[in-house]
Amino acid sequence: MLDSYVQAELAALLPPSALLTAPEDTRPYECDGLTLFRERPAAVALPETEAQVAGILRVCHAARVPVVARGAGTSLSGGALPDRNGLVLSMAKFRRILAIDALARTAVVQPGVRNLAISEAAAAHGLYYAPDPSSQIACSIGGNVAENAGGVHCLKYGLTVHNVRRVRALLVNGDAVEFGGASLDSAGYDLLALVNGSEGLLAVITEITVKLLPKPQHAQVALAAFDDVEKAGAAVGAIIGAGIIPAGLEMMDQPATRAVEEFVHAGYPLDAAAVLLVESDGTIEEVGDEMAEIRRLLTESGATSIRVSRDERERLLLWSGRKAAFPAVGRISPDYYCIDGTIPRKALPLVLRRTAEWSKEFGLACANVFHAGDGNLHPLILFDANREGEIERTIAFGDRILGLCIEVGGTVTGEHGVGVEKLSAMCAQFAPDELERFHGVKAAFDPSGLLNPGKAVPTLARCAEFGRMHVHHGELRHPDLPRF
Amino acid sequence: MTDPAIEALQATVRRAAATRASLRIVGGGTKEFYGASLSGETLDVRAVTGVVDYDPTELVITARAGTPLDAIEATMRAAGQMLGFEPPRFGAGGTLGGAIASGLSGPRRPYAGAARDFVLGVGVVDGTGRALSFGGRVMKNVAGFDVARLMTGAMGTLGVITEVSLKCLPRPHAEATRLFELSADESIARVNEWGGQPLPLSATCFHQGLLAVRLSGAPSAVASARAKLGGSELEGADALWSSVRDHRHAFFASAASAAAPLWRLSVASTAPYTDLGGEQLIEWGGALRWLAAGARTDAAKVRTWAQAQGGHATLFRAAAKPVEVFHPLPSTLAALHKRLKATFDPHGILNPGRLSAAF
């Protein structure tokens, strides 16, 4: 519950329909895409102008009310999980594309604009917005910036941080500030890079300028089957070693392949231990040459079958399986939990082998989809929340995979963010001195700690309590402790 | 895995912190002309050297900050790879740490990305002497704030960079440079139009009525783009691009003289050509304008123009620096800068004044 005077001040800023406080109205905001964690906020505000957002922030700042900014609510790490004493600041009404400059290849958009809507609007100019997280039909660009979202094409075209020119935002006290500009760099520290992936802890984004790219003339995808996961991994190394940066490079293991084939009937080989999807884009001549080389390298690496798309319909069909991997797994299991670690690609065989062992140990099935080009692994742990103890076993299994990601030199989150989900894992990845600097960055922007409190960076107290084996930069901090 | 060279560096920083003595961080010393004041005891980073890890098929290289850029690029070239941001070198002996601390990028920047876009992780010693590590050695990593990119271009004011991990790019299989006789305005319009088409552009440079456009990529893509663009072929174009990158081009030679300060104007790529009282060389598809100031050049007007064009102006190289080197920040941003500086360098001992007179 908000104090009545705070509620009255907020009500004075907004039309009645834009301030929700009744439990039945705030319930839809109690979680985001990570449904394992839920919390009812004290209130939800749905402003539609920057002046209203500034007013809300000033009221909350003065009254020390926590504020959790929320876009489309598709976060997979609980980044938009409400604070029970706080306000959810929904940016859903900021859905206008303000300008598209075809010559400069930029679009100025409000944060609630859907990712895909930008590309749709830019299509008339032969342009598109490159980052394409799998939730792109629903997720909003403000959330993409907050999480530094990736997608299947980021090896070649980069993450959100590489495709955003300018962010306009409000600080916790309501002051407006701009990071970046129309130019390719700006004076002073690179605060534009810092705000990307800051998970709503530093400022509330109100406007974004994104970079648009010319749509490639042509694209083709190859689907290759392997009887062994290591061979598939070696094929990825061979392609990159040959100087090719594919537009997309994805791997799925057998459980994932079987789940998606049952769902989309794309003709994926069910007997393969792993399949690779390799996409080439560019001019017609370029794609022709590159695809011939890719086919040769796949064959040399021991692919048991290779199918190259002959037209756009077939290309989309071959991709449909990968893009439907999460819902497909959702069909074969009552619940699933998506892990998001990144590893050096050479560690893939080890990580998959251990994951398979732990799958048996925990009695939980696991399907793997992998952004193979950039090392971002998404094990999907299958579980049933209604079965006694399965949630706890699932989380323990996931933590163990993330621990291994750190141990092999990787990271606990490649693209989904820390949110509330990976706070403990952060204790394992960073030393106290480093976490302290993160808190310093937070305090530089938000000294009162009101913006999305308790997310992204664990408190040192939490880490001490967590007291787990501390693997840091591949070194064991406490080598005397028994290892799992 | 401790490195005695890094430990020595930490000890120096700790000593300086205890006595509040300023440190001036130096690698190859090739960019001493860049930035505001230099003061304090020299902290030489060159002993922190060597490639730590490089597996070309992972597309990642990790090296200590004092490693010479030349050595890194030779190692990568042998594996058919390169640094995608084409870092400039303004003399022999420039280091990786200097390239990242200055954050400067060469001709390929608008098409491949800037130094900060390739940085995956850094090791730093902060202003209290603590060795910290941010980011990592993998391509995709959103754990924690992006301090690695924050350090890029911070001119050493937030920490002494000791190690850098970078994404690598394959060297293009083919390159060609086309020349066009055009006015400055025509040239700006043309490079922006081409930028919106699926062409393998990798650099542009306009100077004295001549536009040079570099194409890089698969041989077939370069060949078809060449036919499409027209123009005439520039043979031996590498010499042009490296001279533009490293400021050995005739335009920069005159600008380096005491009489003509060199301004760097980073603006919207479509900003119209504007006479600012000197000669200009235009790179980055229109987004970077170098101005060799003339007698009529007015610093305040230069700054006003750059800001109106969505960007900023840096007094890049000058015998005398009567105005702030870097574009003044609005007060809210300046306050954030000061607080970030205090977080990483609470005693204000690392390269004080180099980025801003305020810290």
Side-chain angles (χ1 to χ4, degrees):
Chain A
M1 273 272 289
L2 292 178
D3 284 341
S4 55
Y5 80 93
V6 175
Q7 195 167 323
E9 285 186 22
L10 292 175
L13 293 167
L14 297 162
S17 62
L19 184 64
L20 314 177
T21 51
E24 65 272 23
D25 295 332
T26 56
R27 188 188 301 275
Y29 297 88
E30 69 182 4
C31 70
D32 55 23
L34 180 70
T35 54
L36 282 170
F37 298 86
R38 290 169 194 270
E39 191 73 74
R40 195 84 58 77
V44 177
L46 294 122
E48 52 189 327
T49 66
E50 191 187 79
Q52 287 173 345
V53 178
I56 292 167
L57 286 169
R58 278 193 285 267
V59 169
C60 291
H61 187 237
R64 295 292 182 261
V65 173
V67 175
V68 177
R70 179 185 172 105
T74 56
S75 166
L76 293 173
S77 58
L81 182 75
D83 185 293
R84 82 177 65 167
N85 300 313
L87 182 82
V88 165
L89 183 58
S90 168
M91 300 302 281
K93 290 183 177 170
F94 286 78
R95 53 174 76 233
R96 281 192 304 140
I97 295 177
L98 300 171
I100 291 183
D101 184 336
L103 190 62
R105 289 147 280 135
T106 55
V108 182
V109 300
Q110 292 188 323
V113 171
R114 288 176 307 115
N115 171 296
L116 191 60
I118 302 175
S119 290
E120 286 168 353
H125 307 285
L127 302 170
Y128 78 115
Y129 174 65
D132 59 343
S134 58
S135 57
Q136 71 176 150
I137 55 166
C139 64
S140 62
I141 187 70
N144 288 179
V145 173
E147 301 292 324
N148 189 12
V152 296
H153 289 95
C154 51
L155 179 67
K156 184 166 178 179
Y157 296 107
L159 305 162
T160 303
V161 67
H162 302 109
N163 289 278
V164 168
R165 285 276 170 75
R166 168 185 154 270
V167 166
R168 182 177 166 86
L170 301 181
L171 299 177
V172 68
N173 62 6
D175 284 356
V177 61
E178 297 211 358
F179 309 118
S183 50
L184 295 179
D185 47 36
S186 40
Y189 297 143
D190 196 339
L191 302 188
L192 181 62
L194 193 61
V195 82
N196 272 276
S198 61
E199 303 199 19
L201 269 70
L202 303 185
V204 176
I205 297 167
T206 57
E207 198 177 291
I208 299 160
T209 304
V210 298
K211 167 173 128 178
L212 302 173
L213 292 178
K215 271 209 281 201
Q217 209 176 9
H218 186 53
Q220 263 189 316
V221 67
L223 173 73
F226 291 85
D227 57 11
D228 178 79
V229 171
E230 289 194 30
K231 283 186 197 166
V236 173
I239 290 167
I240 289 170
I244 296 170
I245 304 285
L249 185 45
E250 297 288 312
M251 189 192 293
M252 288 192 285
D253 70 358
Q254 194 171 49
T257 308
R258 289 191 172 165
V260 303
E261 182 55 24
E262 243 175 66
F263 186 41
V264 301
H265 308 291
Y268 282 24
L270 295 175
D271 54 343
V275 299
L276 282 183
L277 283 165
V278 191
E279 179 151 287
S280 169
D281 69 8
T283 63
I284 290 167
E285 305 86 357
E286 203 174 0
V287 173
D289 289 356
E290 194 168 272
M291 208 26 110
E293 179 72 354
I294 288 170
R295 192 193 275 270
R296 187 182 68 73
L297 292 162
L298 289 169
T299 307
E300 268 178 21
S301 305
T304 52
S305 71
I306 300 169
R307 176 175 161 196
V308 178
S309 63
R310 283 155 298 185
D311 52 33
E312 192 58 11
R313 191 200 59 82
E314 193 177 9
R315 186 181 77 87
L316 295 175
L317 178 71
L318 293 180
W319 271 114
S320 67
R322 170 59 187 90
K323 293 211 165 174
F326 291 12
V329 166
R331 261 172 38 115
I332 60 167
S333 172
D335 301 284
Y336 70 88
Y337 182 38
C338 176
I339 310 299
D340 169 45
T342 306
I343 55 172
R345 199 173 355 80
K346 60 191 166 208
L348 181 67
L350 169 76
V351 173
L352 290 183
R353 206 160 50 233
R354 291 268 193 93
T355 304
E357 287 163 18
W358 293 334
S359 168
K360 285 200 194 97
E361 184 188 326
F362 285 100
L364 296 167
C366 183
N368 284 289
V369 297
F370 184 45
H371 300 303
D374 44 37
N376 189 196
L377 189 66
H378 292 314
L380 302 169
I381 302 173
L382 281 49
F383 71 103
D384 182 348
N386 291 324
R387 276 202 218 128
E388 181 73 25
E390 282 215 354
I391 291 181
E392 292 73 19
R393 290 216 309 285
T394 299
I395 291 174
F397 185 6
D399 275 351
R400 216 183 263 191
I401 296 172
L402 293 181
L404 182 59
C405 289
I406 301 171
E407 205 179 326
V408 300
T411 176
V412 296
T413 173
E415 58 183 358
H416 294 172
V418 173
V420 290
E421 184 200 18
K422 291 164 205 118
L423 285 170
S424 298
M426 287 287 285
C427 302
Q429 186 164 334
F430 292 97
D433 280 349
E434 291 152 358
L435 293 171
E436 211 180 288
R437 289 297 173 276
F438 288 150
H439 287 296
V441 169
K442 162 72 170 167
F445 283 77
D446 175 19
S448 45
L450 293 172
L451 294 178
N452 216 7
K455 310 284 174 64
V457 186
T459 60
L460 298 183
R462 181 193 176 110
C463 291
E465 212 172 292
F466 184 63
R468 65 148 59 189
M469 183 188 74
H470 196 138
V471 183
H472 188 67
H473 307 320
E475 295 164 57
L476 285 175
R477 279 288 158 95
H478 305 289
D480 48 335
L481 291 177
R483 302 177 60 184
F484 42 71
Chain B
M1 208 175 37
T2 48
D3 179 333
I6 293 176
E7 283 177 351
L9 214 135
Q10 285 180 264
T12 309
V13 174
R14 273 197 298 265
R15 254 197 330 273
T19 58
R20 309 289 189 266
S22 300
L23 291 172
R24 162 183 168 188
I25 309 163
V26 177
T30 58
K31 299 183 192 76
E32 295 211 327
F33 67 87
Y34 182 57
S37 73
L38 292 167
S39 65
E41 180 195 341
T42 298
L43 183 72
D44 192 333
V45 186
R46 279 176 298 178
V48 183
T49 186
V51 173
V52 177
D53 190 19
Y54 179 42
D55 179 348
T57 70
E58 297 279 347
L59 285 179
V60 177
I61 190 164
T62 300
R64 297 277 200 249
T67 316
L69 263 186
D70 284 347
I72 302 228
E73 294 203 311
T75 303
M76 294 175 75
R77 191 176 300 114
Q81 295 186 342
M82 63 179 189
L83 293 173
F85 58 102
E86 232 178 340
R89 67 235 30 224
F90 301 115
T95 60
L96 174 65
I100 300 306
S102 68
L104 295 169
S105 307
R108 205 177 296 272
R109 191 270 171 256
Y111 308 103
R116 58 90 104 158
D117 293 317
F118 288 89
V119 169
L120 301 174
V122 296
V124 297
V125 171
D126 75 1
T128 64
R130 278 183 274 196
L132 309 169
S133 177
F134 297 102
R137 295 182 189 178
V138 288
M139 211 68 78
K140 255 167 130 180
N141 183 359
V142 292
F145 295 123
D146 199 343
V147 174
R149 289 199 170 90
L150 181 67
M151 292 284 168
T152 309
M155 300 294 287
T157 59
L158 297 177
V160 186
I161 298 175
T162 53
E163 186 177 295
V164 184
S165 292
L166 292 165
K167 178 180 176 179
C168 311
L169 282 189
R171 295 184 74 78
H173 292 293
E175 278 198 330
T177 295
R178 306 300 287 176
L179 290 176
F180 307 84
E181 281 182 41
L182 294 169
S183 70
D185 277 322
E186 286 168 339
S187 160
I188 290 164
R190 202 70 70 82
V191 292
N192 276 287
E193 283 159 20
W194 286 334
Q197 297 169 25
L199 294 164
L201 303 177
S202 73
T204 71
C205 174
F206 172 84
H207 181 233
Q208 290 184 341
L210 206 55
L211 171 68
V213 175
R214 186 174 65 187
L215 304 162
S216 305
S220 52
V222 171
S224 67
R226 211 155 142 187
K228 189 172 174 189
L229 295 187
S232 59
E233 187 75 14
L234 174 68
E235 301 298 339
D238 282 356
L240 168 71
W241 297 113
S242 64
S243 75
V244 170
R245 181 193 68 194
D246 301 342
H247 290 192
R248 286 181 287 97
H249 186 278
F251 166 83
F252 295 102
S254 66
S257 70
L262 177 67
W263 284 88
R264 177 188 187 273
L265 314 180
S266 178
V267 293
S269 63
T270 49
Y273 173 78
T274 304
D275 178 10
L276 295 165
E279 201 190 347
Q280 292 188 34
L281 181 143
I282 305 176
E283 276 194 89
W284 289 13
L288 187 63
R289 320 273 169 106
W290 295 102
L291 169 69
R296 290 187 292 118
T297 302
D298 172 346
K301 276 189 189 147
V302 168
R303 288 231 146 103
T304 306
W305 180 80
Q307 197 166 321
Q309 301 303 327
H312 61 107
T314 309
L315 182 56
F316 194 81
R317 197 194 275 268
K321 297 173 181 173
V323 295
E324 276 255 27
V325 166
F326 296 101
H327 204 101
L329 299 170
S331 61
T332 33
L333 275 184
L336 289 175
H337 276 66
K338 270 194 207 169
R339 291 202 289 268
L340 285 168
K341 169 74 173 173
T343 295
F344 289 94
D345 179 18
H347 310 304
I349 57 167
L350 301 177
N351 278 357
R354 183 111 192 235
L355 191 70
S356 161
F359 54 83

